[in-house]
Amino acid sequence: MSKFEGILMGMGNPLLDISANVEQDLLDKYDVKLDSAILAEEKHQPLFKELVEKYKPTYIAGGATQNSIRVAQWMMKKAGQTAFMGCVGNDDYAKQLEDCATSDGVLVHYMKDEKVPTGTCAALIKGGERSLVTNLDAANNFKQTHLDTDKAKEIIESAKFYYIAGFFLTVSVESLLQVTEHALANKKTFCMNLSAPFLIDFFGDQMASAMPYVDFLFGNESEAAAYGKKHEMGEDIKEIALKVAALPKKEGSGSRTVVFTQGSESTIVARDGKVTEYKVQPLSKDLLVDTNGAGDAFVGGFLSQLVEGKDMDACVKAGHFAALYIIQQSGTQLMKECDYSA
C-alpha cells in the first residue's frame, strides 16, 4: 500500500445502506418517523429481514462520515486526497464497502472485527424523504488501539483536516478526542456534525467533551432546533447558530464556524458574531429521487473547497452542488465523474 499523502481524514461508522421505497404502513409497523435517524432497537430487528425479502432493496455504501469523505474526494478530482477509518466485520458487506470507497479514490483503513457482521442501515424512502434505522454491529466496536497502527499514524500525520460525524460519539469518544488533541496541537482543522437529535438529547456529555475542539460544526434545521431546546438557546435558527459559534473553544484554536442546512431553504452560516444566509437552488419535484445522504453530500462538497483554502461562499456553493446532485440519485451513489467548476 502506497504512502498516504492526502489532506482530509474521516473517522466514523461504515455501514451498508439497504435502501427501499416503502409505504407508511411499514413505518408505522416499526414505529419509525419520517425524516428521522435512529439506532435499531430489538423491535426493529425484523425490519432488515423484511426489507430484503419483500422490497427488492438497493445496497449502497453508506455511513454518514464515509459518505462525506467519498463526496469530498469526488469533488476534488485527484485520487488519494482522502482517507477514512472505521470498524467493519470480515464479510462480503465489508468488501462491498471497501471496493466502493476505493473505486471513489478514498484510502480506507478499516479495523476488522472477526466476530461481528458489518453494520447496516435500513434507508426507508417514502415520497422522496428518508428515515434511517441503523444496526451498528461491527461499527460499534472501533477501538482507540486502531489509531496506534502504522497506517493510522501515517494518515493522521498527513491530514490537515479531520471530519467526524456526531454518530461516532456513541462508539469511541476516546478515539475522537485523540484526533482532536492532535489537530489542536498541530494547528489543524477539526470538523464535526450534530448528525441527529437523539445524539443531542442522549449523548450530550460526549458532545460537550468534543465541542471545544470543533472549528466547523454542521447540522440541519431539526438538529439545530434540538440543540437550541436542550441548551435553552431559543427557537430562532440564526440565534442558535450564533450562540453555538460563541461556545467556548480551546485556547489558541481560533473562531468556530457553524453551518446549518435547511433542506430547500437557505443555508445559515454563523461566525464571529455574524450570520450569512445562502439561498439554495430549487429542484423540480419530479427530479427528486430521495434525500438520503443530502446532508452528508453537502458536507463533502463544503470540505472539498475548505481544504483548498477557498472562502465561505465557495465552500457553501460546492456543498449545495453536491447535495443537489445526490438528491437526484438513490443514496450516495457517485455515478459519473464530477463536473463541478468553482
Side-chain angles (χ1 to χ4, degrees):
M1 191 183 283
S2 59
K3 188 168 189 271
F4 178 70
E5 296 179 335
I7 195 167
L8 174 62
M9 178 197 118
M11 184 167 67
N13 302 334
L15 306 167
L16 191 70
D17 283 356
I18 304 173
S19 179
N21 289 301
V22 303
E23 296 303 324
Q24 187 63 42
D25 60 345
L26 189 75
L27 297 172
D28 293 341
K29 179 178 178 180
Y30 290 102
D31 192 24
V32 177
K33 292 182 175 65
L34 198 58
D35 201 28
S36 65
I38 59 172
L39 292 177
E41 300 172 31
E42 196 62 42
K43 67 182 179 183
H44 298 118
Q45 295 309 319
L47 166 63
F48 293 84
K49 190 164 186 272
E50 188 168 340
L51 273 186
V52 171
E53 291 178 352
K54 296 183 181 176
Y55 286 87
K56 294 184 180 173
T58 307
Y59 295 86
I60 306 165
T65 302
Q66 188 167 239
N67 283 345
S68 295
I69 297 299
R70 287 173 52 229
V71 170
Q73 177 61 63
W74 178 69
M75 295 278 290
M76 289 156 78
K77 304 177 188 175
K78 181 185 172 189
Q81 292 302 294
T82 61
F84 174 79
M85 288 189 269
C87 187
V88 296
N90 188 12
D91 51 27
D92 288 343
Y93 282 0
K95 187 172 186 322
Q96 248 178 288
L97 285 178
E98 187 161 355
D99 287 349
C100 178
T102 302
S103 69
D104 289 333
V106 178
L107 170 69
V108 292
H109 179 48
Y110 291 143
M111 178 178 177
K112 294 199 173 166
D113 190 317
E114 301 286 336
K115 298 176 183 173
V116 186
T118 296
T120 50
C121 176
L124 310 175
I125 314 300
K126 180 180 180 291
E129 296 295 314
R130 64 48 166 167
S131 297
L132 307 177
V133 184
T134 298
N135 245 342
L136 285 174
D137 284 328
N140 202 37
N141 292 349
F142 188 91
K143 301 288 186 289
Q144 191 176 4
T145 51
H146 188 64
L147 301 182
D148 295 331
T149 61
D150 289 343
K151 182 54 75 173
K153 287 178 181 176
E154 179 185 296
I155 291 168
I156 292 168
E157 282 297 325
S158 176
K160 303 290 186 291
F161 295 80
Y162 307 89
Y163 174 65
I164 302 178
F167 293 117
F168 198 66
L169 292 168
T170 74
V171 174
S172 180
V173 177
E174 314 79 34
S175 300
L176 182 148
L177 291 177
Q178 182 173 328
V179 171
T180 63
E181 286 286 359
H182 170 86
L184 179 66
N186 293 277
K187 297 194 171 3
K188 297 179 179 183
T189 301
F190 178 70
C191 312
M192 196 175 80
N193 202 311
L194 294 175
S195 295
F198 83 86
L199 293 166
I200 295 158
D201 291 337
F202 302 111
F203 293 87
D205 290 348
Q206 292 90 328
M207 194 168 281
S209 68
M211 196 62 78
Y213 297 92
V214 178
D215 299 304
F216 286 82
L217 182 74
F218 299 93
N220 64 26
E221 71 274 34
S222 61
E223 294 148 13
Y227 200 93
K229 183 178 178 182
K230 172 95 172 178
H231 297 280
E232 299 180 342
M233 293 178 170
E235 296 180 359
D236 182 273
I237 192 165
K238 295 179 197 172
E239 281 301 311
I240 295 167
L242 283 169
K243 287 175 180 175
V244 176
L247 288 173
K249 279 197 88 215
K250 289 287 182 179
E251 190 175 345
S253 61
S255 301
R256 177 184 297 111
T257 302
V258 174
V259 185
F260 288 151
T261 57
Q262 304 184 89
S264 60
E265 300 298 314
S266 294
T267 295
I268 305 291
V269 177
R271 181 184 175 90
D272 292 332
K274 183 185 171 202
V275 169
T276 309
E277 290 188 63
Y278 294 88
K279 286 191 175 174
V280 173
Q281 180 186 334
L283 179 72
S284 171
K285 189 83 173 163
D286 59 321
L287 293 176
L288 174 68
V289 176
D290 71 59
T291 57
N292 185 25
D296 302 336
F298 173 86
V299 172
F302 187 104
L303 293 176
S304 74
Q305 304 305 299
L306 184 69
V307 301
E308 293 184 5
K310 300 289 179 65
D311 64 17
M312 194 55 53
D313 291 3
C315 293
V316 174
K317 180 185 172 189
H320 285 166
F321 170 88
L324 187 68
Y325 174 81
I326 287 300
I327 64 176
Q328 297 177 75
Q329 321 298 318
S330 178
T332 307
Q333 298 194 82
L334 305 169
M335 308 296 282
K336 62 172 187 173
E337 282 195 24
C338 181
D339 57 6
Y340 180 72
S341 58

